Amino acid sequence: KSQFDQACVHYTNAIRDDRTVHGYVLYSNRSAAHVALGKYAKGLEDADRSLALKPGWWRARLRRGSALRYLHRFWSAHFRCS
């Protein structure tokens, strides 16, 4: 397994067990790991989950833009991340 596969497993476990208000960070970090693995749709889902928990958070917006770019959804990337 790659380090990004392992990261996805660890972030998934952390999200499941999270008892804090910082779940948005975990979703954002897992989003980055998914994108690094080429799982762009999953990366977009996690970026959106992060933003649902903390709207406007810059890092999740960046993750969303990255996933949309790899999905060739350039128009959405421009307007959903600006």
Side-chain angles (χ1 to χ4, degrees):
K1 273 189 161 178
S2 77
Q3 65 183 11
F4 295 112
D5 286 313
Q6 292 174 348
C8 284
V9 170
H10 291 299
Y11 285 125
T12 298
N13 291 336
I15 289 165
R16 184 192 63 228
D17 298 337
D18 185 45
R19 303 284 187 263
T20 71
V21 297
H22 301 293
Y24 68 95
V25 174
L26 300 172
Y27 280 113
S28 178
N29 289 347
R30 190 173 70 174
S31 173
H34 281 311
V35 168
L37 290 167
K39 298 176 182 178
Y40 309 123
K42 286 186 174 191
L44 178 59
E45 287 175 20
D46 278 349
D48 285 341
R49 286 181 182 136
S50 178
L51 285 167
L53 294 171
K54 186 163 180 149
W57 192 48
W58 69 271
R59 189 164 288 167
R61 291 170 69 96
L62 180 69
R63 309 276 198 236
R64 177 195 278 170
S66 179
L68 287 168
R69 181 175 60 94
Y70 283 112
L71 290 167
H72 301 283
R73 293 171 53 188
F74 304 113
W75 191 255
S76 293
H78 175 73
F79 285 102
R80 289 180 69 190
C81 298
S82 58

